[in-house]
Amino acid sequence: MTIEATRVLGRTGVRLTPLTLGTMNFGRWQEEGESLRIIAAALDAGISSIDTADVYAQGVSEEIVGKAIKGRRDSVFLATKFNGQMGDDPRNAGASRRWIVRAVEDSLRRLGTDYIDLYQAHRPDPDASLLETLQTFNDLIRQGKIRYYGTSVFSAHQLVEAHWLAEKYGLIAPHTEQLPYSLLVRGAEREVLPVVRKYGVGVLSYGPLAAGWLSGKYRVGAEQPESARADLIPGRFDISAARNRRKLKAADALARLAEENGLTLVELAVAFALNHPAVTSVIIGPRTQEHLEAYLKASTVELSSDILDRIDEIVDPGTQFIERDTGRDTPSLQPAALRRNH
């Protein structure tokens, strides 16, 4: 099946498909040949946007994407990100002007293009001046190297600050925010999603399956599912851990809700993320053609008010089961910031 570009990315006026192809697996858990096949299949199915990052497989993901879109560049809305450390030098990271102007050139080279549609700060950088970061984005737009810019996993107060700085200094304000959002990760509903709607910011949400918790494998009474990401964040996927028990119970209840309504849990999960009025497109990471087809079908599902009400009964709006599900370690909640002033 195919899908069409029916959704508008915030105030940009750019039309995107409900699904964006995420490429974090490419070059890491998927070899190049399979990655190229998935990208081609996604583009053939009508998916118009691809999201990658320089840090994914240390540049290999961008190189694969560049090869895949050769000859199709003008039909693709290409997004990439910077911030994570590249190589062994800790200076090759962050959101300083020095690093951004180098990182963008490296990404352009790996992607085989002379412009990036959407360039994003992968995470906030507490050591860099936000004003300087915005000024650098502004310069890159003026130079034609990027068309739009965005943030990723920024808090509500950081988003407000970015727009305040842009207005104060006559700069172009952020166009997008990328954030985790799913049936089990609803923290953004409290402040971030209302803020982005206020400022006309488009949202690319990721993790509709909550890092596998909504794949259908996490069920009460079932054995511990295997996860390729388990080693990245120890304890996040351990169903025996006390802090994960409420999450497991909710995942099981959502799976039963999907079954009762003739849906797969994947369909329920993707449809839920797309239902929020602030979300433009949901980033997916299919590893097989079968996965891609399931996502495509899910993007056409519409949820009734009754189902949405039942979801809210299972997982309260604004719920965040585990802080790390926000996509980053919140600085103000780290041990050094809590009751430890000497």
Side-chain angles (χ1 to χ4, degrees):
M1 65 178 297
T2 59
I3 57 177
E4 297 180 353
T6 58
R7 303 169 77 97
V8 179
L9 185 63
R11 67 181 189 278
T12 69
V14 174
R15 290 190 174 275
L16 298 184
T17 43
L19 302 179
T20 289
L21 181 65
T23 66
M24 187 175 71
N25 297 329
F26 299 164
R28 184 176 190 173
W29 292 309
Q30 282 176 295
E31 53 88 25
E32 182 175 306
E34 181 61 21
S35 299
L36 291 173
R37 284 190 288 273
I38 290 294
I39 297 173
L43 295 178
D44 290 343
I47 291 178
S48 62
S49 48
I50 298 177
D51 178 76
T52 186
D54 57 7
V55 77
Y56 294 164
Q58 287 291 290
V60 176
S61 173
E62 286 187 328
E63 292 174 351
I64 291 173
V65 170
K67 293 177 182 178
I69 65 174
K70 190 175 182 179
R72 309 178 72 162
R73 175 66 186 92
D74 290 342
S75 64
V76 174
F77 186 84
L78 182 60
T80 192
K81 302 182 287 291
F82 68 89
N83 180 270
Q85 183 173 320
M86 296 294 289
D88 298 327
D89 190 338
R91 295 176 299 172
N92 296 343
S96 67
R97 176 182 291 273
R98 171 196 172 275
W99 177 241
I100 295 172
V101 296
R102 175 178 167 184
V104 73
E105 296 295 344
D106 290 343
S107 287
L108 287 168
R109 173 178 48 78
R110 286 189 292 261
L111 291 164
T113 183
D114 57 2
Y115 71 97
I116 294 166
D117 291 293
L118 175 62
Y119 201 40
Q120 304 155 100
H122 207 160
R123 292 292 185 273
D125 182 354
D127 297 322
S129 160
L130 181 55
L131 174 58
E132 183 173 292
T133 299
L134 300 187
Q135 290 171 328
T136 307
F137 274 130
N138 208 75
D139 292 344
L140 294 178
I141 290 177
R142 301 301 186 198
Q143 294 164 14
K145 293 179 180 180
I146 67 175
R147 300 291 190 259
Y148 306 98
Y149 80 91
T151 56
S152 180
V153 198
F154 273 45
S155 65
H157 75 81
Q158 288 169 327
L159 293 170
V160 171
E161 181 183 4
H163 283 267
W164 177 79
L165 287 170
E167 181 176 355
K168 180 178 180 180
Y169 291 96
L171 303 172
I172 300 169
H175 298 99
T176 64
E177 162 68 3
Q178 187 172 142
L179 50 76
Y181 184 57
S182 73
L183 291 160
L184 295 176
V185 183
R186 302 184 60 176
E189 293 173 337
R190 290 184 176 274
E191 294 182 330
V192 174
L193 292 177
V195 165
V196 296
R197 291 192 73 190
K198 176 180 177 62
Y199 287 106
V201 171
V203 171
L204 301 176
S205 71
Y206 68 86
L209 303 190
W213 277 83
L214 297 171
S215 64
K217 297 179 180 179
Y218 286 80
R219 301 296 297 267
V220 172
E223 294 185 0
Q224 172 71 52
E226 293 184 3
S227 173
R229 301 181 183 183
D231 293 336
L232 298 179
I233 310 176
R236 188 182 180 193
F237 302 92
D238 183 2
I239 61 175
S240 67
R243 65 178 185 173
N244 287 329
R245 289 174 188 161
R246 286 179 57 241
K247 193 173 181 179
L248 178 64
K249 184 178 179 181
D252 185 80
L254 291 166
R256 286 186 277 109
L257 176 64
E259 293 164 359
E260 292 167 4
N261 288 275
L263 300 171
T264 66
L265 185 52
V266 171
E267 290 171 345
L268 182 72
V270 173
F272 171 80
L274 285 171
N275 185 80
H276 197 287
V279 174
T280 302
S281 188
V282 170
I283 298 172
I284 58 170
R287 298 192 185 185
T288 66
Q289 180 69 33
E290 183 180 13
H291 289 167
L292 176 61
E293 290 296 334
Y295 279 121
L296 290 169
K297 182 180 179 183
S299 71
T300 66
V301 172
E302 295 186 7
L303 301 179
S304 67
S305 295
D306 288 342
I307 293 177
L308 292 170
D309 289 343
R310 283 287 294 119
I311 289 172
D312 289 346
E313 292 173 4
I314 295 169
V315 181
D316 289 336
T319 294
Q320 198 77 49
F321 288 99
I322 299 175
E323 181 62 28
R324 191 57 181 79
D325 285 344
T326 60
R328 66 186 178 106
D329 295 315
T330 304
S332 60
L333 297 181
Q334 298 311 296
L338 297 172
R339 304 175 300 279
R340 287 170 171 80
N341 291 326
H342 297 292

